[in-house]
Structure formats: structure tokens, C-alpha cells
Amino acid sequence: MNYIWEPKPLPSEATIEKLRQELHLSQTTATLLAQRGITTYDEAMHFFSPSLASLHDPFLMKDMHKAVARLSKAINTQEKILIYGDYDVDGTSAVSLLYRYLRSHTSLLYTYIPDRYTEGYGISFQGIDYAASKGCSLIIALDCGIKAIDKVQYATDKGIDFIIGDHHRPDTQVPDAVAILNPQQADCPYPYKELCGCGIGFKLVQAYQQHLSRPFEEIRPLLDLVAIATAADIVAMNGENRTLTYFGLEVINQQPSAGVSALLGENQKRVGIGDVVFKAAPRINAAGRIEHGKYAVALLTETDSHKAKEKAYEIELLNSERKELDSSITQEALAQIEENGEQNRYSTVVFNPHWHKGVIGIVASRLIETYYRPTLVFTQSGNKYAASARSITGFDIYDALEQCSEYLEQFGGHTYAAGLTLLPEQYPDFKEAFEQVVAQKLANLPHEPKICFDTQLPLSKITEKLIGVLKRFEPFGPNNLAPIFYADNVIDTGFAKAIGKDEKHLKLNLREVGSPHYFGAVAFDLADRLPIVESGRPFSIIYSIEENIWNGIIRPQLRIRDIKG
């Protein structure tokens, strides 16, 4: 894939210089901070040294007082409580977090994760019936429920109250629940709007802990799940999310729960955000994608390390199956696009009734790697078609679906990811309507993806001190992405080679012309750039700086994002 290289907007020279002088920073570091909206000494100190004391008062969230009062009543009068959550990482982590906390306050707890295939996303009638069969009089829904108006009414008619903790966009009408915890509500005064479902679950825990006048340190171990969910759900990694994730990673590295420890396995190095995103999250997701999300909850709430390892092994087997399905369905979808002559459309919309519903979201992301455009992958789900939607930078796919809602049975999600269902007879009309909406929005935009880099950084300017400072920018995620740099006049030392099972990647040793100092580098999916590297002529790179650990030795390594001759 060809990329457009584009520098991120630079803050004013005065802002950069002020930061540089006040904090005694290099030009590069001051620039990176200012680009992230950090322009004062105090903001920089908080960014480099996050503090749990900066967390917002949970009672600032609309309905939090109501939620705590209802939860307190349920515990004090020994009501049975059902904790309900979605089947993805955020939902299963949220359920596990609240269960881990409440089990020390009551034994009358049940958990429920809907079946992806028989119930679908969100609150289900079947889940409410399960709660009723167990005699539950309170359901706490996390990471779902903001659109479940009819389901909440159904529960009310059965004498079951609802507390909803969700972070998805609400409609103008919301369910008639006892309490709705969702900072996305227009009239919610909570200062930070970007919490994930598990993050909202943690704020409920924090509020209840304050209600009991108990110390925060008692709930600090729960932050491991908040970090995993925040990273996996691709929400903003700034403000409160960054603080929660920072300390969540600290918990994972210092005192992980049995389930999280088994999930990540034995580590010779400090667990970072990349380990969470590429190791923990796919494994947790695999349970709900291939079998059932309840297996993820069973692992994340396990207290016995031996049993946790057994459960983690079972989930790893599901993850292996997920990888095989992901690969085969992606190839089938690419073939369908070519057979239908749809390579030059503005959108990708594909369907096969036999595709596994659990991996179509991953497949949508894979297709964007080939055809950079908003993508929907449909499969058969009962008597309806169900799809996962993924978007590209700058395109609000939720808004696009809203404009096509007349064809849809149900939809929900975020700016860059969504899910939807429709009746089979609506599929052709929806496909064309979605294409028109996308075409209208993207007609004047370039079809190639962009790589936006922060600033130019010659390889000769990479020092141990700079690498140390860059580590303090972690954890990375949306709104605080890993710094990406541009360098030119680069050559390989002559040892470049293609690596990997299919030889799709490159292993390089790079230096600037005229400099004796070189850096090991890896370039994923860039084997087609090998002729540029081997030409002997200087070339340009877009890159980030990582650490490579081999035999216990830590060395800086360049992660090459693109190469141009």
C-alpha cells in the first residue's frame, strides 16, 4: 500500500520554546509535548508523572448517586444481582471487574454474557429471563444498554431494576433505568467523556468505595482490567484514561491477578501497552468470537493460579482457531471484491452467509489494509444479515450508518467501529445507499492512507536520553500515539533481508550517510521496498523508536512504517 507522508501541524515556535526553557527539554521533546496539547509546566508534570489523585470524583457523573444508592440497598437487603456485559474485551473485563469487587460484599452474584450468535450484541430478553429465573431483582449492565428501551421495560415488568453503565452514543430517548451512567449524555457534567465500559464500571466501584468510606488502595488491583479494556477498545489515551491505564500497567507488572498473569504468560520484560493490545486483547476476544464470552469472565475472575493457567490454555486454543478463520475469510472476501469488479468503489461491502460472525470485524480491518476505505463485512445471523463495520481516518462510520438507517434493523457503535443488522431484502439497497453516502464524503479526499509524522529526527539525533524521555510518553493510544519521525539520507549497512514465514517483512541495519552509528530496524509488510534499500542510494523513512530485548539485553530498534527512494 502506498502512503501519503504528512507532517502533523507544528505548534507555535513561542510555545515550543517556552516549554523547552521551563522544563529544560530538547527541541524534539518540547515539540512532541506541544503537539499533544501540553503547553504548560503543570500539564507537562502531570503528563510525565500521572497521579491517581487527579482522578475525577465519580459522583460528578450523572445518576451516580442513584446507582450507588440502589446498589447499596441491594447488598444491604441481600438481593440477588446480575452483572451483564458485552462479549468483547471491554464488556467481559467490565463484568469481571465488578464481580471481583462485589464478591467481597455479597455472595448473591451472577454474571451474564450474551451469546454472540443466538442473542447478538447488547441486552437480550434471554438474559433478562435468566436473571428472573435466578431471582435477581437488579441487573447492572456494563458496556451496553444505552439503547435497550424495550428490554429495560421488559425487565421492569418482571420486577427487575436496571443500572446501565455504557459509553456508546445515546439516542434522544434512553431507557427508563434506575440509573444511567454514561458521560456521553448531553446533560452529564462528568468532565471526561472518553471512558470505556470497564472504565465506567470502575467509576461505579470507586463511588461505592467512597460511599463506604473505604481507602482507594483496596480497589487499585482492579486497574489491571481497566488498562486492558481501555487499550483494547481503542478509546482516547489521554486524560483520565491515560492515568487509569498507566497505573493499570503498574498493577499488571507488580501484582497481576491470577487470570491476567496466566493470560500474558511468563514475561522477561516489563509488560507494555503493546503486550496488552496484541497478546491479551485478542485472546480475550477469541472466547466470545469462537465459543462464548463467559470463558473470558471465568479466566479474569479466577483466583487460583493453576486453574487460571488451564483456562488461559483453553482460550489460547480458541485464539489459534480464530487466526485460521480470520486468514481464510479475508482471502475469500478479497476474491469476492475482485470477482464483482468492486476494486474502485468508495466503500467495501461484502457478504457470505457462511462467514463466521465472530471474526468479521477483524476481517473488515484486514480488508482496509488492501482497500483503504470504509468497510462492512456481512454474514447470515438467523433470519437477518449482521455486519461489523470499520472505518478509516477522518470518516465517521456511525454517522454514515445513521444516514442509511431506513434500511437497518439495528445499529450501534463508535466513529471508527460499529455493528448492524438488516433484513436480507434490504441488503442491495443498503449497499448502494451506503456507497453514495461514503462517495459524497470522500469524493474530494485522497484514496491513499496517510502516515502523519510528528517531526523530523535524523538518526544521528537519537540518543539514550531521548529514548528514555520517549518511554515517559507511554502508554500510547489514540490522542497520544507513539511519536513517529521522518529521516532522510538513510542507507542500509548491507545486511537487509526479507524475513517471516512468507518473507513479507524486512530486517535492516540503518545509518545516516557519513555516520558510523547504525540501528537495527524491522519493517513489517514492506518487503516490496527491498529493491530501494538494496540500490545503494540514500532513501527516506518514516519510523518510530522501540526496544528490542534479546537474551535479556535491551537495545533500541527502529520500527519502519514506510520507505521511499
Side-chain angles (χ1 to χ4, degrees):
M1 185 178 290
N2 292 317
Y3 292 93
I4 297 171
W5 294 6
E6 186 173 283
K8 293 179 183 176
L10 281 176
S12 70
E13 289 185 15
T15 299
I16 295 172
E17 184 60 21
K18 179 172 174 286
L19 273 174
R20 195 183 69 77
Q21 290 191 13
E22 287 185 355
L23 284 91
H24 307 290
L25 300 173
S26 68
Q27 183 83 5
T28 298
T29 303
T31 299
L32 295 175
L33 283 176
Q35 285 174 319
R36 284 153 180 75
I38 299 163
T39 59
T40 69
Y41 179 89
D42 288 342
E43 288 171 348
M45 287 300 97
H46 177 68
F47 181 80
F48 285 133
S49 301
S51 169
L52 288 169
S54 70
L55 295 180
H56 302 300
D57 180 353
F59 286 103
L60 293 174
M61 196 175 293
K62 182 187 177 185
D63 283 358
M64 186 61 81
H65 286 283
K66 294 179 182 178
V68 169
R70 184 63 185 90
L71 176 57
S72 180
K73 176 178 178 289
I75 292 173
N76 292 336
T77 59
Q78 296 190 309
E79 296 178 58
K80 292 180 179 178
I81 303 169
L82 179 77
I83 308 170
Y84 191 114
D86 189 24
Y87 40 67
D88 67 0
V89 178
D90 192 13
T92 54
S93 296
V95 168
S96 301
L97 179 144
L98 191 56
Y99 181 83
R100 275 171 51 182
Y101 176 71
L102 289 180
R103 66 185 171 194
S104 63
H105 298 275
T106 177
S107 60
L108 304 177
L109 286 177
Y110 298 89
T111 62
Y112 193 88
I113 303 293
D115 185 280
R116 182 187 288 262
Y117 308 103
T118 60
E119 297 168 80
Y121 168 80
I123 308 297
S124 69
F125 292 116
Q126 187 175 325
I128 296 169
D129 288 341
Y130 175 81
S133 73
K134 295 297 183 182
C136 297
S137 52
L138 175 63
I139 295 175
I140 303 175
L142 297 170
D143 192 37
C144 59
I146 196 64
K147 294 188 175 185
I149 294 172
D150 55 341
K151 311 296 196 313
V152 171
Q153 185 59 54
Y154 180 74
T156 301
D157 294 342
K158 288 180 173 289
I160 302 172
D161 287 338
F162 252 97
I163 294 172
I164 293 173
D166 202 352
H167 69 121
H168 298 96
R169 294 187 201 177
D171 290 333
T172 51
Q173 184 181 359
V174 295
D176 188 17
V178 169
I180 295 179
L181 309 175
N182 187 339
Q184 298 284 348
Q185 295 178 95
D187 58 346
C188 179
Y190 195 72
Y192 189 72
K193 306 295 183 181
E194 305 302 325
L195 293 168
C196 65
C198 188
I200 290 173
F202 183 79
K203 299 306 291 190
L204 174 58
V205 166
Q206 185 187 0
Y208 193 74
Q209 189 77 350
Q210 288 179 205
H211 166 74
L212 297 177
S213 299
R214 301 291 301 173
F216 183 91
E217 276 304 303
E218 291 181 352
I219 62 173
R220 184 170 175 155
L222 298 173
L223 290 174
D224 60 352
L225 295 179
V226 183
I228 290 171
T230 301
D233 220 49
I234 321 176
V235 290
M237 194 60 77
N238 59 8
E240 196 164 44
N241 275 345
R242 185 168 178 270
T243 299
L244 291 167
T245 303
Y246 178 92
F247 287 100
L249 288 170
E250 194 173 82
V251 171
I252 291 173
N253 282 284
Q254 294 177 4
Q255 51 179 27
S257 63
V260 170
S261 180
L263 189 68
L264 288 165
E266 299 296 327
N267 282 284
Q268 296 181 343
K269 63 180 180 68
R270 179 177 173 82
V271 174
I273 203 72
D275 300 298
V276 171
V277 171
F278 297 112
K279 286 185 179 180
R283 290 167 178 166
I284 296 172
N285 259 332
R289 293 184 188 280
I290 305 301
E291 195 64 40
H292 199 289
K294 64 184 179 183
Y295 295 106
V297 173
L299 170 62
L300 296 175
T301 57
E302 182 57 66
T303 57
D304 182 277
S305 59
H306 180 70
K307 291 179 181 177
K309 288 177 181 177
E310 291 178 347
K311 291 173 180 175
Y313 176 72
E314 292 169 2
I315 284 180
E316 181 57 28
L317 293 178
L318 296 176
N319 192 40
S320 296
E321 184 178 346
R322 187 272 305 167
K323 289 178 182 177
E324 293 175 7
L325 285 167
D326 159 18
S327 177
S328 62
I329 294 174
T330 298
Q331 293 308 311
E332 291 175 18
L334 288 170
Q336 185 179 124
I337 292 169
E338 293 184 15
E339 288 167 8
N340 294 340
E342 296 177 341
Q343 298 95 320
N344 296 317
R345 288 169 65 96
Y346 286 97
S347 67
T348 295
V349 181
V350 290
F351 164 74
N352 185 311
H354 304 297
W355 285 340
H356 197 293
K357 189 180 177 184
V359 299
I360 55 176
I362 303 173
V363 171
S365 297
R366 298 274 187 264
L367 296 180
I368 288 175
E369 293 172 6
T370 301
Y371 297 103
Y372 187 72
R373 57 202 190 191
T375 298
L376 281 74
V377 180
F378 279 88
T379 188
Q380 187 92 32
S381 180
N383 62 351
K384 298 178 182 178
Y385 289 0
S388 280
R390 297 293 183 268
S391 194
I392 59 175
T393 301
F395 184 87
D396 189 332
I397 205 159
Y398 182 94
D399 179 64
L401 293 175
E402 207 163 33
Q403 293 183 53
C404 304
S405 59
E406 64 185 286
Y407 304 103
L408 304 178
E409 290 287 294
Q410 187 179 9
F411 72 99
H414 311 284
T415 301
Y416 292 116
L420 59 146
T421 58
L422 50 69
L423 296 174
E425 57 267 27
Q426 297 280 31
Y427 176 76
D429 290 339
F430 166 77
K431 182 172 180 175
E432 287 313 306
F434 184 74
E435 169 70 8
Q436 290 175 22
V437 169
V438 176
Q440 184 178 7
K441 292 178 178 293
L442 296 185
N444 298 319
L445 296 177
H447 283 210
E448 294 85 13
K450 292 179 182 177
I451 295 183
C452 295
F453 60 91
D454 293 81
T455 187
Q456 185 168 356
L457 182 67
L459 300 191
S460 58
K461 294 290 182 70
I462 300 176
T463 63
E464 286 188 15
K465 182 178 179 180
L466 175 63
I467 293 170
V469 171
L470 292 180
K471 284 180 65 64
R472 297 185 66 186
F473 277 69
E474 300 175 1
F476 298 126
N479 297 93
N480 182 41
L481 295 172
I484 296 177
F485 305 107
Y486 164 80
D488 56 14
N489 210 30
V490 174
I491 59 172
D492 183 77
T493 58
F495 296 97
K497 63 179 180 179
I499 59 171
K501 190 172 88 171
D502 300 320
E503 295 194 338
K504 296 192 303 182
H505 318 305
L506 291 179
K507 186 173 178 60
L508 310 163
N509 281 291
L510 303 180
R511 63 179 178 86
E512 280 182 6
V513 174
S515 171
H517 302 293
Y518 66 88
F519 294 88
V522 61
F524 293 108
D525 297 309
L526 290 177
D528 62 327
R529 308 295 203 279
L530 187 57
I532 296 174
V533 175
E534 292 182 326
S535 70
R537 294 187 294 272
F539 51 88
S540 301
I541 58 172
I542 298 289
Y543 71 99
S544 55
I545 304 172
E546 302 176 338
E547 284 184 345
N548 181 36
I549 300 178
W550 182 254
N551 291 333
I553 300 173
I554 302 176
R555 291 190 178 93
Q557 175 176 271
L558 308 185
R559 167 82 179 277
I560 309 302
R561 309 300 180 107
D562 201 13
I563 299 171
K564 289 185 179 180

